[in-house]
Amino acid sequence: MRVEHIYRYPIKGLTAEALEEVTLKPGECLPHDRRFALAQGDAPFDPAAPSWMQKRHFGCLMANARLALLHTAFDPRSGQLLIRPPEGEPLVGDTRSEAGRAEIAAFLTHFLGEEARGVPRFVEAPGHNFTDVAAKCVSIIGLASLHALEEAAGMRLDPLRFRANVYVSGSHPWAEFDLVGQEIQLGGARLRVFKRIVRCPATEVNPETAERDAKPPKVLREAFGHADLGVYAEVIEGGRLAVGDALEPLQGDMLH
């Protein structure tokens, strides 16, 4: 299987950023992936003592489809975050200062309107990632599986609906499910695949228009008997990963 795309999502629920290459570290997500989140005002998240929480506590596409209309870009060197709304002036906020984070939170809160609960906070906790599952991991989707879903749905589905880190080509539909429990070589890194990804209503949202114009979980259940697309893997040995690299199972020969 061949790596076709690599993405990170610096702010939970917001814009994907394409990468040509990345260095993976043991037990970590992609660098800067889900590093920040907009915690709703009633969320009990404490940046001083971070713990994993369900996505409903944060701004997320499952509940806040209009977030897809925002285009964001994060510069890890300067800490600056650009947020460009569909109309009006963009914001450049400093994620490293308390005033900057407050400015970003106010901008996002105003954009969410009635969907904002209480006084949301733009949060970061060093060493913590705002992932959908409790483990720090890398998400992988086989494009053949996505194409099978598209065929069943009778429409094109933007791969970014599914917010994976790595998209791979060159295998048959659902081949990645055979890797659960196995170790894989992904570029220069070694990972262990531990779980299939159950899809939620966030995937109904078109990342270009913010419209809920498809029902991938429903189509998956009706056509394939499950609501899963892609797998989660934890990094065991770090290394460089680049577009064009191979994904190979390290036990047996399950992918053809």
Side-chain angles (χ1 to χ4, degrees):
M1 301 171 88
R2 179 186 188 274
V3 175
E4 299 292 344
H5 307 284
I6 304 170
Y7 292 100
R8 70 180 180 203
Y9 307 83
I11 300 93
K12 185 175 185 69
L14 293 177
T15 306
E17 296 185 359
L19 304 170
E20 286 299 314
E21 62 177 79
V22 68
T23 299
L24 299 180
K25 294 182 178 178
E28 296 293 335
C29 300
L30 266 69
H32 311 294
D33 190 46
R34 277 84 173 183
R35 176 174 164 179
F36 305 98
L38 183 70
Q40 290 280 16
D42 55 6
F45 183 78
D46 180 1
S51 61
W52 180 82
M53 292 181 183
Q54 293 178 333
K55 66 179 74 173
R56 62 185 172 82
H57 291 294
F58 306 99
C60 62
L61 291 173
M62 179 180 75
N64 315 116
R66 60 185 276 107
L67 286 176
L69 292 173
L70 293 174
H71 290 274
T72 58
F74 174 62
D75 181 355
R77 289 182 298 275
S78 68
Q80 288 197 324
L81 175 66
L82 168 69
I83 310 177
R84 192 181 298 281
E87 298 174 355
E89 289 297 309
L91 171 76
V92 178
D94 180 7
T95 64
R96 295 180 181 177
S97 74
E98 192 170 332
R101 290 191 295 273
E103 192 178 20
I104 293 166
F107 187 95
L108 294 173
T109 298
H110 176 74
F111 188 78
L112 280 181
E114 293 180 356
E115 292 179 2
R117 305 196 303 267
V119 182
R121 298 166 293 146
F122 186 74
V123 291
E124 172 191 17
H128 182 77
N129 299 82
F130 295 94
T131 47
D132 285 350
V133 291
K136 292 187 181 185
C137 54
V138 175
S139 53
I140 304 168
I141 287 179
L143 290 170
S145 305
L146 174 58
H147 296 330
L149 172 58
E150 288 179 316
E151 199 168 318
M155 64 183 292
R156 181 185 175 275
L157 296 169
D158 189 327
L160 291 178
R161 283 181 188 262
F162 304 95
R163 301 181 69 76
N165 296 126
V166 180
Y167 293 84
V168 295
S169 64
S171 193
H172 57 83
W174 321 116
E176 59 269 35
F177 292 170
D178 297 334
L179 296 172
V180 174
Q182 284 203 61
E183 292 184 8
I184 59 172
Q185 189 74 31
L186 184 63
R190 185 162 61 92
L191 293 80
R192 183 182 67 85
V193 180
F194 66 89
K195 190 176 188 295
R196 288 159 55 153
I197 302 175
V198 182
R199 291 302 166 179
C200 77
T203 61
E204 297 174 357
V205 180
N206 185 317
E208 289 297 320
T209 66
E211 298 294 324
R212 292 189 185 274
D213 59 3
K215 295 188 178 297
K218 182 173 184 282
V219 175
L220 283 166
R221 285 192 296 269
E222 291 177 352
F224 304 105
H226 59 74
D228 306 341
L229 182 69
V231 293
Y232 290 120
E234 64 173 329
V235 181
I236 299 170
E237 289 181 4
R240 176 181 173 274
L241 172 64
V243 171
D245 282 352
L247 183 161
E248 298 174 330
L250 293 175
Q251 303 166 13
D253 184 19
M254 305 194 70
L255 302 180
H256 300 284

